[in-house]
């Protein structure tokens, strides 16, 4: 199957310092790399004749606060020529700057802005790194695990000032947490 | 080719988040020189609701009502991807009947989405009549959905392992009647629109995207197929039971707005063909794999058979996601809608990343409107077919 072919081929041919771990599973094959080698790896994957992953589907940031390098950036890639998908993952902490892949994949422009906005990871050589989804004066990076679900401020229209103001949040009932662990069901592992 | 600059100072116009077209809250900051557009900058985020953060605190079943609010015109697709991702993660089997019902609902939703693309597209160009005509057909689809799922638009119908309830008696005949009626409706649209010289003048040659450029920018869906690349996830990925039907990928070569219009009209007709084949071939059997609601999750269990289906009410679901990651995708009417899901051995996902087609397709807008006239912006924006609900999430 072509999916396995380009994955196995790239794993065989790439220098080991670019890809320091690979994992295959039925849910998608992935390469783990570090932030210095990210750009050459994606450049290789995009332009090499036998891999030709020309489409960047998605750049996703994930937050694992228990790890030392707490963020992980996942690049989902697709090759339309070979009908294969590959995932490339790197780890970064709050101050690492990752090189931007906008020059390779123009669609990365907004994805990297979103990762910056939601997590706080900045990218070198990005033409326009600023917030994209949050409000104009928003402080904080919402998708980090230490940012609460309800946020810190709420907005309301203030009539004396004739504009919208942000104020600290006021919750009229406590946060309800449903996780449906039924007391009657016995789990198979106890 | 340089555009002669008629004035020294360029005018910056704000097409603010409120505007009469139905594209949603999108703010465009245009730099104009007379009628020519020099640059355009879209500003998003007016409809950002934190869907991804909410997903980290809800079980899949609790999250299903939220997902229809991403793409609120093609709601079945968002639900389909939300249940497909955990199903693939845990290798849950979906009964054959449920798969057919899902395909019928998905294709009806595709027709509904393309109809509600067509209306505002024509209204932005200037033709008001198709806007009313499409709602006639869309009301019929709403009636079908209401009979099967209980809701006209935000259905909450799909479940992990199937659908929530079976089709009511007589629904299949009504759906057949709708298919026959709709084919005459599409012919009416084509007579009214496709060879209309005013329409062609507005739309032909506007916003051309080449094939290589489309792949580079990561476009998907009708935008990619209109530029000559025959890439349709229903054929390529073979999910649900699309490979049992006989249909073709609709594609065009030119890459302009007219090509995108023709691709979408063609897709509507292909969807009707698929629905008719599915309705004729729908098998009997269970409509939901109820075993996945329990922790043990046995495969092919006898508790799913007909004899046990009506014994008691459905158990409350505690579907646990194991610690794996997965990227699942469907061919939504706007493009490739995907979910990147990282499970965490608990009922809540650790990361639920939504890959909206509109977000990516919108990125190419500043490139396309350079050197176009002001009036062409609405044509191009309309032909990209975005929904701010999924762009902003």
């Amino acid at each position: 199957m072509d999916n396995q072919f380009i994955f196995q081929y790239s794993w065989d041919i790439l220098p080991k310092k670019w890809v320091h771990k690979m994992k295959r599973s039925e849910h998608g094959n992935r390469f783990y790399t570090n932030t210095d080698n990210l750009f050459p790896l994606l450049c290789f994957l995009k332009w090499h004749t036998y891999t030709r992953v020309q489409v960047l589907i998605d750049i996703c940031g994930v937050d694992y606060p228990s790890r030392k390098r707490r963020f992980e950036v996942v690049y989902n890639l697709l090759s339309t020529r070979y009908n294969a998908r590959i995932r490339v993952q790197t780890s970064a902490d709050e101050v690492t700057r990752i090189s931007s892949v906008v020059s390779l994949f123009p669609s990365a422009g907004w994805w990297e802005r979103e990762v910056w906005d939601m997590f706080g990871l900045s990218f070198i050589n990005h033409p326009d790194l600023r917030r994209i989804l949050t409000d104009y004066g928003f402080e904080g990076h919402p998708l980090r695990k230490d940012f609460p679900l309800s946020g810190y401020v709420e907005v309301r229209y203030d009539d004396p000032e004739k504009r919208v103001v942000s104020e600290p949040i006021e919750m009229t009932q406590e946060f309800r947490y449903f996780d449906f662990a039924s007391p009657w069901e016995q789990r198979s592992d106890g | 080719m340089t555009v002669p600059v008629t004035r020294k100072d360029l005018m910056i116009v704000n097409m603010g988040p409120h505007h009469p077209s139905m594209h949603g809250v999108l703010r465009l900051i245009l730099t104009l020189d007379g009628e020519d557009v020099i640059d355009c900058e879209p500003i998003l985020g007016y409809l950002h609701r934190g869907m991804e953060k909410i997903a980290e605190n809800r079980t899949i079943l609790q999250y299903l009502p939220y997902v229809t609010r991403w793409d609120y015109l093609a709601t079945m697709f968002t639900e389909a991807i939300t249940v497909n991702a955990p199903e693939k993660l845990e290798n849950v089997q979906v009964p054959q009947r449920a798969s057919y019902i899902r395909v019928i609902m998905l294709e009806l939703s595709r027709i509904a989405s393309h109809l509600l693309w067509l209306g505002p597209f024509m209204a932005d160009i200037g033709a008001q009549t198709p806007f009313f005509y499409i709602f006639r057909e869309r009301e019929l689809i709403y009636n079908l959905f209401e009979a099967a799922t209980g809701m006209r638009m935000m259905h909450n119908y799909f479940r992990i392992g199937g659908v929530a309830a079976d089709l009511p008696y007589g629904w299949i005949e009504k759906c057949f009647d709708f298919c026959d009626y709709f084919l005459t409706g599409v012919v009416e649209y084509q007579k009214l629109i496709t060879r209309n010289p005013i329409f062609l003048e507005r739309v032909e040659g506007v916003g051309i995207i080449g094939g290589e450029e489309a792949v580079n920018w990561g476009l998907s869906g009708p935008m990619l197929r209109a530029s000559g690349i025959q890439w349709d996830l229903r054929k390529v990925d073979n999910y649900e039971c699309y490979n049992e039907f006989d249909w073709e990928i609709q594609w065009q070569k030119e890459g302009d707005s007219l090509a995108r219009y023709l691709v979408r009209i063609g897709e509507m007709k292909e969807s009707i063909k698929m629905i008719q084949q599915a309705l004729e071939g729908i098998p009997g059997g269970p409509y939901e794999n109820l075993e996945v609601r329990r922790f043990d999750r046995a495969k092919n269990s006898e508790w799913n058979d007909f004899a046990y289906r009506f014994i008691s009410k459905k158990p409350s679901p505690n579907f646990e996601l194991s610690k794996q990651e997965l990227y699942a995708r469907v061919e939504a009417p706007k493009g490739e809608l995907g979910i990147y899901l990282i499970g965490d051995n608990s009922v809540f996902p650790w990361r639920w990343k939504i890959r909206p087609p509109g977000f990516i397709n919108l990125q190419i807008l500043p490139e396309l409107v350079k050197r176009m006239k002001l009036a062409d912006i609405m044509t191009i924006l309309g032909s990209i077919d975005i929904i701010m609900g999924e762009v902003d999430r």
Side-chain angles (χ1 to χ4, degrees), chain A:
Chain A
M1 195 180 116
D2 289 89
N3 202 359
Q4 307 296 326
F5 167 70
I6 72 172
F7 186 69
Q8 188 61 40
Y9 175 80
S10 353
W11 172 246
D12 290 334
I13 207 171
L14 283 172
K16 287 300 168 277
K17 82 181 170 77
W18 280 9
V19 178
H20 57 78
K21 194 162 76 150
M22 67 100 104
K23 212 159 183 197
R24 320 175 108 158
S25 74
E26 54 184 359
H27 295 311
N29 306 319
R30 38 197 199 266
F31 286 137
Y32 288 85
T33 176
N34 40 353
T35 53
D36 309 319
N37 305 124
L38 177 69
F39 192 85
L41 174 64
L42 288 178
C43 206
F44 171 84
L45 284 175
K46 177 169 180 178
W47 295 112
H48 190 81
T49 323
Y50 290 126
T51 50
R52 279 308 243 176
V53 276
Q54 287 171 310
V55 181
L56 173 72
I57 292 285
D58 190 23
I59 301 181
C60 173
V62 194
D63 184 16
Y64 293 100
S66 51
R67 295 187 190 169
K68 197 150 149 284
R69 302 180 68 121
R70 71 186 280 201
F71 297 120
E72 197 172 289
V73 184
V74 180
Y75 294 76
N76 279 304
L77 304 159
L78 161 70
S79 165
T80 51
R81 182 187 282 194
Y82 296 109
N83 186 18
R85 294 185 187 251
I86 277 193
R87 221 176 291 154
V88 174
Q89 295 180 313
T90 63
S91 301
D93 51 8
E94 282 117 348
V95 293
T96 320
R97 298 185 73 199
I98 311 182
S99 57
S100 161
V101 296
V102 173
S103 46
L104 285 177
F105 302 106
S107 56
W110 281 8
W111 283 128
E112 292 177 347
R113 275 176 71 184
E114 187 192 333
V115 170
W116 155 249
D117 192 11
M118 294 284 130
F119 289 94
L121 285 171
S122 62
F123 292 86
I124 318 174
N125 284 335
H126 192 273
D128 187 24
L129 196 68
R130 58 193 161 100
R131 65 177 75 256
I132 188 169
L133 288 177
T134 49
D135 199 4
Y136 287 110
F138 196 83
E139 285 163 15
H141 296 285
L143 275 176
R144 295 188 174 184
K145 291 288 179 183
D146 43 2
F147 192 91
L149 177 61
S150 54
Y152 294 119
V153 293
E154 63 178 11
V155 291
R156 66 174 180 87
Y157 180 73
D158 190 64
D159 212 35
E161 288 192 41
K162 297 274 185 261
R163 64 181 184 91
V164 173
V165 296
S166 298
E167 288 179 336
I169 195 168
E170 190 185 306
M171 295 184 62
T172 47
Q173 42 173 236
E174 65 174 40
F175 186 70
R176 291 170 291 180
Y177 192 75
F178 300 109
D179 66 354
F180 273 143
S182 163
W184 293 279
E185 292 266 334
Q186 282 302 317
R187 294 180 43 179
S188 50
D189 52 284

Side-chain angles (χ1 to χ4, degrees), chain B residues 13 42 55 96 104 110 168 197 212 215 294 313 317 325 347 349 354:
Chain B
V13 172
Q96 188 75 338
I104 296 172
R110 185 186 306 274
E212 275 298 313
V215 168
R294 306 192 167 267
K313 67 186 189 83
E325 9 182 286
V347 290
I354 308 164

Side-chain angles (χ1 to χ4, degrees), chain B residues 349-391:
Chain B
W350 184 256
R351 177 79 167 102
W352 180 276
K353 170 88 175 59
I354 308 164
R355 190 260 186 208
F359 192 75
I360 298 292
N361 290 351
L362 190 55
Q363 264 195 280
I364 204 176
L365 182 69
E367 290 295 313
L368 287 181
V369 298
K370 288 192 165 69
R371 285 171 307 189
M372 291 278 166
K373 303 280 178 195
L374 181 59
D376 293 328
I377 301 179
M378 295 320 291
T379 314
I380 296 174
L381 185 61
S383 74
I384 298 182
D385 193 10
I386 51 168
I387 277 283
M388 292 315 285
E390 65 175 3
V391 171

Side-chain angles (χ1 to χ4, degrees), chain B residues 15-17 19 24-28 42-44 362 365 381 386 388:
Chain B
M15 270 177 75
H19 45 88
V25 280
L26 170 67
R27 181 176 176 203
L28 293 174
I43 295 186
L44 321 171
L362 190 55
L365 182 69
L381 185 61
I386 51 168
M388 292 315 285

